[in-house]
């Protein structure tokens, strides 16, 4: 884990993500789901049931990613455009959208 | 999580998944990645960096799902077909494939 | 496109796909949708509306792919397993499933 | 071509899409690929080969969608933000991004 004064200082940083509590709650649930799948594999549970759980984790990750993406676009991207750095912020946004596109 | 002697006895079960060790290793790494993302949100790290990490978790889950799917098809589905229960096993397989299709 | 008497003779071939009529109907509808999108671009229509139509084509292609995949698994893969060539047919099936997984 | 008095007048419209020629070229190629798949089904070609072609069409559609999305974000979304209608344009953008996310 990086300490708050570590080297990534040139990256934008938020004192706290406005939606941080909701995002952390979702991530904690996802952590529990991953532990659940680990237990299913250890117990030798049926593959199809394990796969169904993995698909549920993917959906939960998609939802948290879309929440963060929406927050980022309304916040950072909009500010960047207003202060004249729009093209760079949009280029970066498109790179990350492509990671989540099929 | 269900205890090993719980009621899901009618579901096929493996004493141990042949690829269990490899799958568990991948799942442990994924658990660590989810904890890493939680830390990034707590520290207020840049959204784009968090999203990039979430996309990496998605790819890791896809890989583990494809490994399980391949194992399941070579094992359970092939046995079911040989013993004349192919259509049911294939129906179930297709349901789970659809969950991972776009 | 290959002519019917071309060299791909070593590939399995069906006199007619059992679900051929349904698949062809879906493909004709998809062709129409692609022409529709071409028209929208020529007319300078709003990008978001064009993107919504492209997403609809993707869904239609997913549906036709899942229909063909299901048909292939019940037919060719099941026959191959019964005649002892299961592992090869399953390997090939998994390759194609991965193309449709995210 | 729609007549000038048609109903969609309230939607933004471009005299010509700046990337229109490139997009149309890609769409024409996609039309040809869909016709190719239709021919393969009619000829009773091997399912796996047909599925591989459908996956190629999906990739081509993804690429054209990402090109349009990028163009839309640099253009319409950026203009909307500069003229104070950012939140609405971003909401609409996120809706369309979600359609292409897994």
């Amino acid at each position: 884990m990086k300490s708050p004064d570590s080297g990534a200082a040139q990256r934008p940083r938020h004192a706290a993500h406005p939606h941080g509590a909701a995002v952390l709650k979702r991530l904690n649930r996802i952590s529990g789901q991953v532990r659940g799948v680990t237990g299913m594999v250890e117990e030798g549970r049926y593959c199809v049931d394990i796969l169904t759980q993995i698909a549920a984790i993917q959906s939960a990750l998609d939802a948290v990613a879309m929440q963060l993406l929406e927050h980022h676009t309304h916040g950072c991207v909009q500010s960047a455009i207003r202060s004249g750095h729009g093209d760079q912020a949009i280029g970066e946004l498109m790179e990350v959208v492509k990671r989540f596109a099929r």
Side-chain angles (χ1 to χ4, degrees), chain A:
Chain A
M1 206 87 323
K2 285 197 168 159
S3 66
D5 54 358
S6 77
Q10 65 280 28
R11 292 305 247 155
R13 179 167 295 216
H14 309 277
H17 280 286
H19 298 302
V23 168
L24 287 172
K25 203 171 161 182
R26 282 167 183 264
L27 287 171
N28 285 336
R29 202 179 310 137
I30 289 165
S31 271
Q33 286 174 297
V34 176
R35 277 194 303 276
V37 168
T38 302
M40 290 173 87
V41 174
E42 285 169 346
E43 291 173 25
R45 294 277 293 280
Y46 188 43
C47 289
V48 170
D49 295 342
I50 297 173
L51 285 163
T52 302
Q53 283 306 307
I54 293 175
I57 299 174
Q58 298 275 35
S59 297
L61 283 167
D62 287 339
V64 82
M66 288 304 124
Q67 191 180 5
L68 284 166
L69 193 69
E70 204 154 356
H71 167 64
H72 173 67
T73 312
H74 280 288
C76 299
V77 176
Q78 195 159 204
S79 306
I81 289 170
R82 281 178 184 148
S83 57
H85 313 308
D87 284 329
Q88 194 191 325
I90 290 168
E92 195 183 52
L93 177 70
M94 286 300 118
E95 281 312 302
V96 85
V97 163
K98 281 173 197 168
R99 289 185 196 279
F100 288 92
R102 318 93 156 309

